[in-house]
Amino acid sequence: MAADALSIIPSAVLRNLSDKLYEKRKNAALEIEGIVKQLATAGEHEKISAVIQLLTHDFTYSPQANHRKGGLIGLAAVTVGLTSEAAQHLEQIVPPVLSSFQDQDSRVRYYACEALYNIAKVVRGDFIIYFNKIFDSLCKLSADSDANVQSAAHLLDRLVKDIVTESDQFSIEEFIPLLRERMNVLNPYVRQFLVGWITVLDSVPDIDMLGFLPDFLDGLFNMLSDSSHEIRQQADAALSEFLQEIKNSPINEFVKLGGEQLVPYYADILGAILPCISDEEEKIRVVARETNEELRAIKADPTEGFDIGAILTIAKRELNSEHEATRIEALHWFSTLLARYRVEVTFFGLPGDIFDPLLSALSDPSDAVVLLVLEVHACIAEESRHFRDLVSYLIRTFHNNHVLLEKRGALIVRRLCVLLGAEKVYRESSTILESEVDLDFASVMVQALNLILLTSTELGELRSLLKKSLVDSCGKDLFQSLYASWRHSPMATISLCLLAQAYNHASCVIQSLGEEDINVKFLVQLDKLIRLLETPVFAYLRLQLLEPGKHTWLLKTLYGLLMLLPQQSAAFKILRTRLKTVPFSENLKRTSSANPYSQILPVTEDGSRNQDTQNYSAINFPSLLQQFENMQQQHRLHLKNQLQSRKSASAVVLSQEIQRYEEAHSSSLSEISKSPSRTSKGIS
């Protein structure tokens, strides 16, 4: 067959094809191209095969470098001459060119790139069957020691990418193993080459690179620590692009594989998966939850690119999600960040940046969300410097949102008492409310706290401590602390005295009430108290009624309350019925003029009695009564000013209405007075 080729191609052409001068080799190649065209037109494909074999064995595999160069340019010329018929000869043409990529001579490698470039331009899509071998060669050439070879390989690489992106025969499944094998290569040129292919293939609509992400993700993350800034940028750009597509992907595998290397992308991934936790499709919900747990399990170091501020931003954003499950997971992230990075979270988010969205979340329709919000608040408030901020923010929120206080106040306060301690919460609340300038709100808030105190099982220990107010220093301090703000509400003050068994003072408070104090709001609160007296919380008080001689001031207090109630009210009937059961047949030796504190035997909730009465007079009740009366006077003046303001406003409105009426009436009279004259003129 070689002899046939020698008869087809003139010896002078073959001689020039191996010449050391490029121009002679080029001219020889052009003559070979013309010969092949004639053979192709005549259908002489056997002769064409003979020519290719000659060029391969005598030239490309020759020990002489110039022969190898000539063979490569000759094979490219054959392909150009064949044009559309080149595909059937590619099995002969491409392998020797690929072999030349490993040639020891850099110029041969360069001409191999040039030859394959020209071959690829002719055959285009038919070229794909050799893609894996070509890719392997290009990967090696990208790191070639010769800059000219690298440049030629780069041009060839661009052409191959163009061919792949327009081909429907490219197999991503066969390509991925090649990519995976090379992803851990450290050579910077190879890394750039690989990232370039990942980016290009990901841009092809018909190729699902995301589905194969776990196969090369680890390598991409490793590139993020490359010493080359350019490689780090390219890897970062590729990862960022995948993160944009990740919402409907197997992200859990992504996270498992990436591990701690995902740290710089925490916020982006979290922003994608939190909404998916509430997706309509169960499969997506499951994957999102698994991924979320994987992320939370990774313990990242803020000094290694972990952006706590970005995570907080995502968590705050998702607190406004319309889906409960997403809001709950956002709160879990708050808890996780606080548990691991309290100092950093404090730096990034406190006070208002976190408090405000979390306080808004207290209005959430879901109790589960509200309880989690409170846990986060409690976690923040473990530090004393943040505790007062929390209580202040909470009271301010109640001040601005009375509906929240009405619907969720009890739940919020009770849970905080469990998480942070009832006594601590109530003492701080009382301190803040003592100086509250909005007297109406202070009264409402105190009444709410008082009702919670009297009804919640979580506050049982606090009630027990208050019952010891007259015999125990801790109880006394608590009583006085609460009294400072409870005096905003007469009924709350009376309730507190009943809990503390300060019956004499309760009676004095009742006696101090004026006509202005006994209004509808007061009677509503009194009605609630009378009904509460029948609950287990006040069982000790009812038992004390069995010994009226020892508890004269208790009787006087209860009768004082009875006298304030309308006789036709249900509360009046309840209290009167209870008082009828008191055994008055006993000779009451003590009177109201006796020392009231010697008549009281404090009882704890377990029924035990404390005989120690040495501290009964430790509380300055006359001073407390004066404070109560002063506060009530402020409330009376406030109410009076409100009424005057309303009257003034009403008077202004009435004056304006009268003025408008008079102006309108005057205008009407003027029109009426003008009408007859015009009429009379018309008649005349």
Side-chain angles (χ1 to χ4, degrees):
M1 187 174 287
D4 293 340
L6 290 172
S7 64
I8 298 170
I9 302 176
S11 58
V13 173
L14 294 175
R15 189 167 50 251
N16 287 335
L17 191 63
S18 60
D19 196 274
K20 64 179 182 180
L21 296 176
Y22 173 74
E23 286 301 322
K24 288 187 177 182
R25 294 197 303 271
K26 181 180 178 182
N27 290 331
L30 290 173
E31 290 192 40
I32 291 174
E33 178 185 332
I35 293 170
V36 171
K37 281 183 180 179
Q38 293 176 358
L39 293 174
T41 303
E44 299 284 351
H45 285 282
E46 289 186 3
K47 292 182 179 181
I48 294 174
S49 294
V51 172
I52 295 172
Q53 188 173 5
L54 172 67
L55 293 173
T56 300
H57 288 88
D58 292 4
F59 286 84
T60 60
Y61 292 151
S62 170
Q64 301 297 321
N66 289 332
H67 278 67
R68 297 197 298 274
K69 296 173 187 176
L72 291 168
I73 196 171
L75 289 174
V78 170
T79 307
V80 174
L82 286 167
T83 59
S84 61
E85 298 182 65
Q88 59 185 299
H89 294 283
L90 285 179
E91 289 184 7
Q92 286 182 281
I93 296 172
V94 173
V97 178
L98 293 177
S99 297
S100 299
F101 284 139
Q102 302 177 39
D103 199 282
Q104 295 298 314
D105 191 320
S106 63
R107 297 304 297 168
V108 173
R109 297 196 300 273
Y110 176 87
Y111 285 117
C113 291
E114 182 184 76
L116 193 58
Y117 182 91
N118 290 322
I119 293 168
K121 282 177 64 178
V122 174
V123 298
R124 303 296 293 186
D126 295 324
F127 187 69
I128 292 296
I129 60 174
Y130 297 100
F131 174 79
N132 287 357
K133 293 180 180 180
I134 294 170
F135 178 83
D136 180 59
S137 298
L138 286 173
C139 187
K140 295 173 182 176
L141 290 172
S142 65
D144 198 276
S145 58
D146 188 280
N148 291 324
V149 175
Q150 283 190 14
S151 178
H154 179 67
L155 291 174
L156 175 60
D157 181 55
R158 288 172 57 182
L159 176 61
V160 174
K161 285 174 180 173
D162 290 341
I163 293 172
V164 167
T165 55
E166 67 186 25
S167 173
D168 57 358
Q169 298 178 9
F170 176 74
S171 173
I172 185 65
E173 290 79 8
E174 294 179 9
F175 167 72
I176 288 298
L178 292 174
L179 180 64
R180 183 174 57 243
E181 290 171 4
R182 292 161 176 76
M183 284 304 294
N184 291 319
V185 174
L186 299 179
N187 186 284
Y189 298 106
V190 175
R191 283 185 161 184
Q192 282 184 306
F193 171 78
L194 296 174
V195 174
W197 270 98
I198 290 171
T199 303
V200 166
L201 292 177
D202 185 49
S203 67
V204 180
D206 295 334
I207 297 178
D208 180 23
M209 284 295 283
L210 200 60
F212 297 96
L213 188 57
D215 290 283
F216 54 85
L217 179 64
D218 190 48
L220 275 179
F221 280 128
N222 288 334
M223 293 180 193
L224 292 174
S225 59
D226 195 279
S227 58
S228 168
H229 176 69
E230 186 176 358
I231 292 175
R232 292 198 303 271
Q233 278 190 325
Q234 290 178 345
D236 182 81
L239 283 168
S240 298
E241 184 62 32
F242 282 118
L243 287 171
Q244 295 301 317
E245 308 168 27
I246 211 152
K247 287 188 178 180
N248 298 314
S249 72
I251 187 173
N252 53 336
E253 296 299 326
F254 177 97
V255 173
K256 287 178 183 177
L257 187 60
E260 293 184 2
Q261 297 176 85
L262 282 173
V263 168
Y265 303 94
Y266 241 70
D268 292 324
I269 298 173
L270 188 64
I273 65 170
L274 282 182
C276 295
I277 286 174
S278 304
D279 197 273
E280 294 180 358
E281 293 186 29
E282 183 180 1
K283 183 178 180 180
I284 293 178
R285 292 198 303 272
V286 171
V287 171
R289 286 188 178 279
E290 290 178 358
T291 307
N292 187 50
E293 294 303 320
E294 290 283 345
L295 274 179
R296 257 209 312 266
I298 299 173
K299 295 184 178 179
D301 188 340
T303 61
E304 297 179 358
F306 178 53
D307 193 343
I308 294 176
I311 297 293
L312 283 173
T313 299
I314 296 296
K316 287 188 293 181
R317 184 190 73 194
E318 295 306 325
L319 278 180
N320 296 319
S321 169
E322 60 179 324
H323 302 291
E324 177 184 345
T326 296
R327 299 196 301 273
I328 286 175
E329 290 306 319
L331 289 166
H332 282 313
W333 271 102
F334 273 111
S335 298
T336 299
L337 292 174
L338 281 167
R340 295 179 185 170
Y341 316 104
R342 172 177 291 275
V343 175
E344 290 80 4
V345 171
T346 301
F347 175 78
F348 279 110
L350 295 177
D353 202 31
I354 287 181
F355 270 135
D356 289 343
L358 287 175
L359 285 171
S360 298
L362 290 174
S363 303
D364 196 281
S366 166
D367 284 349
V369 171
V370 173
L371 292 175
L372 276 174
V373 170
L374 292 172
E375 288 185 12
V376 175
H377 274 305
C379 186
I380 296 171
E382 286 177 1
E383 296 182 34
S384 57
R385 63 195 179 104
H386 295 312
F387 175 74
R388 182 177 176 85
D389 289 338
L390 169 60
V391 180
S392 297
Y393 266 79
L394 191 59
I395 290 178
R396 189 185 310 165
T397 301
F398 285 143
H399 178 275
N400 298 330
N401 190 345
H402 284 228
V403 175
L404 177 64
L405 175 60
E406 181 182 345
K407 293 185 176 181
R408 286 285 173 74
L411 174 67
I412 292 170
V413 173
R414 289 168 59 186
R415 188 59 183 165
L416 277 183
C417 286
V418 171
L419 294 170
L420 296 172
E423 182 176 354
K424 188 178 178 182
V425 171
Y426 264 70
R427 280 181 179 271
E428 190 62 47
S429 299
S430 182
T431 300
I432 295 170
L433 289 170
E434 180 182 359
S435 56
E436 174 62 50
V437 294
D438 186 341
L439 297 182
D440 291 333
F441 168 71
S443 179
V444 171
M445 190 68 214
V446 164
Q447 289 166 15
L449 289 172
N450 183 65
L451 185 61
I452 296 168
L453 174 63
L454 297 179
T455 58
S456 301
T457 55
E458 296 89 343
L459 275 69
E461 293 185 5
L462 196 64
R463 291 194 294 270
S464 294
L465 185 57
L466 282 170
K467 289 174 187 175
K468 302 175 184 178
S469 298
L470 302 181
V471 295
D472 180 88
S473 59
C474 293
K476 179 195 74 172
D477 290 343
L478 176 60
F479 175 82
Q480 291 178 318
S481 175
L482 298 187
Y483 194 96
S485 63
W486 256 238
R487 56 198 174 102
H488 278 292
S489 167
M491 199 48 55
T493 304
I494 294 169
S495 301
L496 183 64
C497 291
L498 292 178
L499 270 180
Q501 303 183 74
Y503 302 134
N504 175 266
H505 189 66
S507 179
C508 293
V509 168
I510 294 171
Q511 294 289 339
S512 71
L513 297 176
E515 178 182 342
E516 306 95 323
D517 303 318
I518 306 172
N519 50 34
V520 174
K521 292 181 180 179
F522 174 87
L523 292 175
V524 170
Q525 293 297 317
L526 178 54
D527 183 278
K528 290 181 181 178
L529 175 60
I530 299 305
R531 296 176 189 277
L532 285 171
L533 291 177
E534 298 297 316
T535 64
V537 171
F538 284 105
Y540 70 93
L541 182 149
R542 298 195 300 274
L543 290 173
Q544 288 175 347
L545 292 175
L546 295 174
E547 300 177 295
K550 291 183 179 180
H551 304 288
T552 306
W553 290 104
L554 170 58
L555 281 171
K556 188 170 183 179
T557 297
L558 295 180
Y559 271 106
L561 295 177
L562 185 69
M563 295 303 108
L564 297 178
L565 287 166
Q567 293 190 46
Q568 301 303 317
S569 66
F572 179 89
K573 296 174 182 177
I574 292 171
L575 182 55
R576 185 179 61 178
T577 301
R578 173 61 63 185
L579 290 172
K580 284 182 178 179
T581 64
V582 176
F584 281 108
S585 58
E586 179 182 337
N587 182 23
L588 301 182
K589 296 181 180 180
R590 298 177 176 86
T591 65
S592 60
S593 61
N595 180 358
Y597 308 115
S598 67
Q599 301 169 6
I600 303 170
L601 291 178
V603 182
T604 59
E605 285 202 340
D606 60 5
S608 62
R609 294 177 179 272
N610 191 331
Q611 298 292 337
D612 184 8
T613 61
Q614 62 182 351
N615 293 325
Y616 281 3
S617 58
I619 300 176
N620 188 346
F621 283 108
S623 175
L624 292 183
L625 183 61
Q626 185 63 49
Q627 294 174 27
F628 172 79
E629 290 176 342
N630 291 341
M631 180 60 71
Q632 290 308 303
Q633 183 60 29
Q634 291 183 39
H635 277 272
R636 294 183 193 113
L637 290 174
H638 174 66
L639 180 60
K640 184 178 180 180
N641 291 335
Q642 281 186 324
L643 293 174
Q644 288 178 345
S645 297
R646 290 171 188 168
K647 288 179 180 178
S648 298
S650 298
V652 170
V653 172
L654 180 60
S655 175
Q656 291 174 345
E657 290 292 332
I658 292 173
Q659 184 177 356
R660 282 196 291 269
Y661 172 79
E662 290 178 345
E663 290 175 353
H665 187 64
S666 175
S667 176
S668 298
L669 290 175
S670 176
E671 290 296 326
I672 292 171
S673 64
K674 293 177 181 178
S675 297
S677 61
R678 289 196 297 269
T679 304
S680 60
K681 289 180 180 179
I683 293 173
S684 63

